[in-house]
Amino acid sequence: MHTTAAVEVAGLVKRYGRKTAVDGLDLTVAHGSITAVLGPNGAGKTTTVETCEGYRRPDAGTVRVLGLDPVARAAELRPRVGVMLQNGGVYPGVRAMEMLRHTARLHRHPLDVDELAERLGLGGCGRTPYRRLSGGQQRRLALAMAVVGRPELVFLDEPTAGLDPQARRATWELVSALRTDGVTVVLTTHHMEEAEELADHVAIVDAGRVVAEGSPRELCRGRAENTLSFVGRPGLDLESLLKALPPGCAVTEPAAGSYRVTGDVGPELLATVTSWCAQHGVLPERIAIERQTLEDVFLELTGKELRG
Ligand SMILES: Nc1ncnc2c1ncn2[C@@H]1O[C@H](COP(=O)(O)OP(=O)(O)OP(=O)(O)O)[C@@H](O)[C@H]1O
């Protein structure tokens, strides 16, 4: 059992000159989980991740990674933490597989390099110099380098930016497999469906702070826009239906015979409503479900206008 979190960020402040990039950010990442950090351009995601990686010193607040200070204990953390930077960090003339083999040799028990390359679709470009790889190939190589040493924790900064659908799928499978192996993953992304598909925990960052967090379902749950509607005979006993529903739900009949249930709309709620209908001899027609997606929640929290 772990007694501390894999990553603990408390009150982090980071400034570049007069610009405050991170402004009192708190984040706790549980061991063995996948945490997605979302936020508009310039929200402070990369700065936060780079501080956790030990590349930047906090101006205020504390950062602990696997219980250690990432700057002071960088040497201890290096073999335990995998890092995928947004921009390569690879010498441009080096061939892809040479780079991966070199990185593998720095670790005691690396993954099988050829298998990993094959899995990420890098098999065909192993002899290509880094600078001639496509943007997507460079990202996949960076991902391979981050995980080849079997780290306990990996930071992935926009791992699927610019990837085609197949490569994105392969990346998702690799990230899921890391969780199965007990690896903790922290990733930043602009793809809401990526966070919904992969993340156990999502932190939405805006203007250098976490403005909302929770599982994707928690973040979308319980909003007025989550509704289940159906049509039945007019004048159903709304109080009786409400009693059957979990706490936090509401039922209305906005027009005669037209019903609206709001709350945590999921499979359980649908089953409860239809079973109540069956018990009361009602055949619900035109059942429709509307749920807020993570993207709706994100836009609601961070605004719809473009940021500079
Ligand atoms: N080295 C730097 N020097 C000066 N300002 C910087 C530097 N790096 C980042 N910034 C500024 O700090 C703010 C946060 O940047 P950061 O890269 O952390 O955001 P981000 O959320 O990762 O954005 P994106 O989604 O565009 O990658 C931005 O306003 C950016 O312009």
Side-chain angles (χ1 to χ4, degrees):
M1 267 306 282
H2 297 281
T3 50
T4 58
V7 179
E8 185 90 59
V9 177
L12 176 65
V13 176
K14 184 70 206 162
R15 296 185 198 94
Y16 299 107
R18 294 169 72 185
K19 164 94 205 164
T20 303
V22 179
D23 191 13
L25 186 140
D26 300 309
L27 180 68
T28 302
V29 174
H31 282 275
S33 67
I34 300 179
T35 294
V37 181
L38 310 180
N41 288 136
K45 304 178 297 295
T46 298
T47 302
T48 301
V49 169
E50 287 178 354
T51 310
C52 293
E53 291 162 353
Y55 294 127
R56 299 187 186 283
R57 249 174 231 282
D59 290 318
T62 53
V63 175
R64 291 289 173 272
V65 172
L66 302 175
L68 304 174
D69 176 335
V71 177
R73 312 286 286 276
E76 278 160 82
L77 285 173
R78 206 163 294 127
R80 300 174 64 192
V81 177
V83 168
M84 176 185 181
L85 299 173
Q86 225 178 72
N87 302 311
V90 178
Y91 176 65
V94 74
R95 295 179 204 277
M97 282 306 275
E98 272 171 28
M99 193 62 218
L100 189 55
R101 283 188 209 292
H102 170 72
T103 309
R105 276 196 295 271
L106 300 175
H107 295 273
R108 258 203 237 175
H109 306 290
L111 295 175
D112 183 305
V113 169
D114 295 301
E115 206 177 290
L116 179 62
E118 203 54 48
R119 194 159 168 192
L120 287 173
L122 288 167
C125 57
R127 293 186 53 75
T128 309
Y130 181 78
R131 66 170 180 278
R132 297 232 176 89
L133 294 175
S134 73
Q137 288 165 339
Q138 289 182 355
R139 300 228 49 72
R140 283 180 272 154
L141 177 62
L143 174 64
M145 285 163 54
V147 303
V148 73
R150 294 184 202 265
E152 290 165 52
L153 165 67
V154 280
F155 290 104
L156 309 175
D157 203 357
E158 297 191 28
T160 60
L163 294 192
D164 63 34
Q166 291 85 346
R168 182 181 299 183
R169 188 48 67 188
T171 301
W172 287 3
E173 282 169 13
L174 186 94
V175 172
S176 296
L178 289 172
R179 173 176 43 200
T180 308
D181 291 342
V183 178
T184 308
V185 180
V186 178
L187 60 89
T188 68
T189 183
H190 287 291
H191 300 295
M192 300 295 142
E193 74 283 12
E194 180 160 296
E196 272 180 323
E197 167 96 14
L198 287 178
D200 304 298
H201 191 79
V202 171
I204 299 180
V205 175
D206 195 18
R209 287 165 173 264
V210 173
V211 292
E213 59 181 322
S215 69
R217 185 159 174 197
E218 278 163 2
L219 284 172
C220 299
R221 170 188 294 171
R223 290 171 187 266
E225 292 77 1
N226 290 346
T227 63
L228 184 162
S229 56
F230 65 94
V231 171
R233 64 169 186 267
L236 293 179
D237 183 349
L238 298 188
E239 249 178 58
S240 158
L241 174 54
L242 188 62
K243 266 194 202 143
L245 298 173
C249 290
V251 192
T252 54
E253 188 181 358
S258 171
Y259 298 91
R260 236 171 102 89
V261 180
T262 55
D264 182 10
V265 176
E268 304 85 2
L269 188 81
L270 176 63
T272 310
V273 170
T274 52
S275 108
W276 182 90
C277 286
Q279 282 162 19
H280 293 79
V282 176
L283 179 64
E285 291 182 59
R286 282 183 264 156
I287 296 179
I289 285 171
E290 275 177 56
R291 278 162 64 97
Q292 275 216 326
T293 63
L294 196 54
E295 179 150 352
D296 297 327
V297 176
F298 179 84
L299 290 173
E300 189 183 309
L301 287 166
T302 62
K304 294 202 167 83
E305 78 281 10
L306 275 176
R307 305 293 172 86

